[in-house]
Amino acid sequence: MHTPHHAAADIAALGREWIAAWNSHELERVLALYTDDAEMTSDKIQALGFEADGTLRGKDRLRAYWGKALAMLPNLRFDLIDTYVSPDSVVVFYQNERGAQICEYLRLDAEGKIRQGSANHLAH
């Protein structure tokens, strides 16, 4: 499989757009950043009644999960702390409206869309 290599500035810009998309509360704007077969892993997925293994597969499942989450969190807001880049991924480090700091690891495809994501929360 060919590993995509993207310019660091482009990947950092994607991280900023990811934050802006979430802050817009426009689900389709967020989903537009992802491939149709994207996978997302988070400990919150099972907690909201979705896949027991914590991984969603495909944009339709992402839409259902994030739609439910957005409805539950009308004041959702992400404040970007920093982005960390590699040739094929970005880690978006941010703080949410409740003060929690989170890292989202987002791996990209050759076209620069997110094909795999992982929400990483502090262990408690």
Side-chain angles (χ1 to χ4, degrees), residues 2-4 7 12 21-22 31 42-43 53 58 68 73 78 95 100 110 114 117 121:
H2 172 68
T3 301
W22 277 107
L31 288 166
S42 171
D43 60 341
D53 68 355
K68 182 175 182 177
L73 299 167
F78 296 161
Q95 182 169 299
I114 301 164
H121 304 89

Side-chain angles (χ1 to χ4, degrees), residues 59-101:
K59 203 178 267 191
D60 288 340
R61 294 301 290 158
L62 295 176
R63 182 178 287 109
Y65 168 66
W66 287 333
K68 182 175 182 177
L70 283 170
M72 293 172 60
L73 299 167
N75 297 323
L76 178 111
R77 169 121 186 113
F78 296 161
D79 292 311
L80 182 64
I81 297 170
D82 216 335
T83 56
Y84 302 86
V85 301
S86 80
D88 70 345
S89 66
V90 60
V91 173
V92 182
F93 179 36
Y94 64 95
Q95 182 169 299
N96 70 16
E97 74 287 351
R98 294 167 295 192
Q101 292 184 344

